[in-house]
């Protein structure tokens, strides 16, 4: 049973617009959440994270929002750029050293 | 050097073969990880080593045998695998040996095909 779900397998956005990637989780014990980005033929790279005691974390063009009551987090990319085209994985920390990943959302940003 | 290097990138093996996957990092990280990713599925944790000691084994079958000879190197020995073990095997390391921050540095992966 998937504890971390990314229900949209793909998302297409025009350059300059906002990209919103969504993630839902079921385990209320998760206390730390991360987003990873993956380009083809490369390993995932860490993008941004958020602790469960916060509801927002921002880093440049990337903002992650956490709604604990809804068990939902989202990644906003503003403005989107063609170089942002990649697969984005949501992940949640389950205890120390273990991350539970979602299935990923493929983002395509067109010029 | 901020890379995690995995070799080989591709491996094809029969069910009776013995092979190994290798992972190397020179960032001074003291925790290293093996993840398995099947097509259209998320990466799933297999093993974690902290300070060269096995700290997590996610009930992985014994046909997968991890080894951490030193702080820079992580191996995954493969023996008597099944076709369903075909997957992308990802190695990762973390600066924080407790994994508290969750920030992992991943290699490109080794794509394994078992015939």
């Amino acid at each position: 049973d998937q504890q971390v779900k990314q229900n949209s397998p793909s998302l297409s956005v025009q350059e300059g617009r906002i990209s919103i990637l969504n993630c839902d989780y079921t385990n209320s014990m998760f206390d730390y959440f991360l987003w990873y980005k993956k380009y083809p033929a490369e390993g995932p790279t860490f993008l941004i994270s958020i602790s469960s005691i916060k509801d927002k974390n921002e880093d440049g063009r990337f903002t992650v929002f956490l709604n604990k009551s809804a068990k939902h987090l989202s990644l906003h990319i503003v403005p989107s750029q063609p170089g942002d085209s990649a697969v984005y994985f949501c992940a949640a920390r389950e205890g120390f050293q273990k991350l539970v990943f979602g299935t990923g959302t493929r983002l395509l940003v067109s010029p | 050097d901020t890379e995690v290097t995995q070799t080989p990138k591709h491996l094809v093996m029969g069910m009776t073969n013995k092979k190994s996957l290798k992972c190397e990092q020179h960032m001074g990280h003291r925790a290293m990880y093996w993840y398995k990713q099947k097509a259209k599925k998320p990466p799933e944790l297999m093993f974690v080593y902290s300070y060269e000691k096995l700290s997590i084994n996610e009930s992985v079958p014994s046909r997968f045998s991890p080894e951490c000879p030193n702080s820079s190197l992580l191996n995954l020995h493969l023996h008597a695998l099944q076709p369903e073990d075909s997957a992308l095997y990802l190695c990762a390391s973390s600066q924080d040996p407790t994994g508290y921050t969750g920030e992992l540095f991943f290699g490109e992966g080794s794509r394994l095909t078992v015939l």
Side-chain angles (χ1 to χ4, degrees), chain A residues 2 31-32 34 36 38 41-46 49 89 93 96-99 101-103, chain B residues 33 35 37 42-43 45 48 50 55-56 58 97-104 106-108:
Chain A
Q2 278 292 122
D31 62 354
Y32 200 80
L34 307 93
Y36 281 79
K38 185 180 186 302
E42 294 184 13
T45 55
F46 168 75
S49 61
F89 290 97
R93 190 180 65 193
F96 286 98
Q97 296 185 325
K98 182 176 179 181
L99 293 182
F101 284 86
T103 48
Chain B
Y33 308 72
Y35 278 81
Q37 185 179 19
L45 183 65
V48 182
S50 291
S55 56
I56 294 180
E58 287 287 296
T98 70
Y100 184 82
T101 64
E103 184 176 346
L104 303 181
F106 282 91
E108 293 179 13

Side-chain angles (χ1 to χ4, degrees), chain A residues 1 13 18 25 33 46 56-57 60 63-64 67 69-70 73 77 81-82 93 99-100 108:
Chain A
D1 185 30
V13 171
I18 185 171
Y25 62 95
F33 302 89
F46 168 75
K56 177 183 174 181
N57 188 25
T63 303
V64 57
N67 182 334
S69 60
L73 65 156
I77 307 174
Q81 299 173 353
R93 190 180 65 193
L99 293 182
V100 180
L108 177 62

Side-chain angles (χ1 to χ4, degrees), chain A residues 26-39:
Chain A
T26 57
N27 189 339
S28 57
M29 297 301 291
F30 290 152
D31 62 354
Y32 200 80
F33 302 89
L34 307 93
W35 286 93
Y36 281 79
K37 179 168 73 173
K38 185 180 186 302
Y39 292 117

Side-chain angles (χ1 to χ4, degrees), chain A residues 44-105:
Chain A
T45 55
F46 168 75
L47 189 58
I48 193 170
S49 61
I50 188 168
S51 166
S52 60
I53 62 173
K54 295 186 174 182
D55 55 17
K56 177 183 174 181
N57 188 25
E58 193 171 354
D59 184 2
R61 297 186 297 115
F62 302 91
T63 303
V64 57
F65 295 92
L66 175 63
N67 182 334
K68 281 182 63 178
S69 60
K71 295 192 179 68
H72 177 82
L73 65 156
S74 60
L75 174 68
H76 293 210
I77 307 174
V78 183
S80 301
Q81 299 173 353
D84 296 328
S85 298
V87 177
Y88 289 79
F89 290 97
C90 170
R93 190 180 65 193
E94 182 179 24
F96 286 98
Q97 296 185 325
K98 182 176 179 181
L99 293 182
V100 180
F101 284 86
T103 48
T105 296

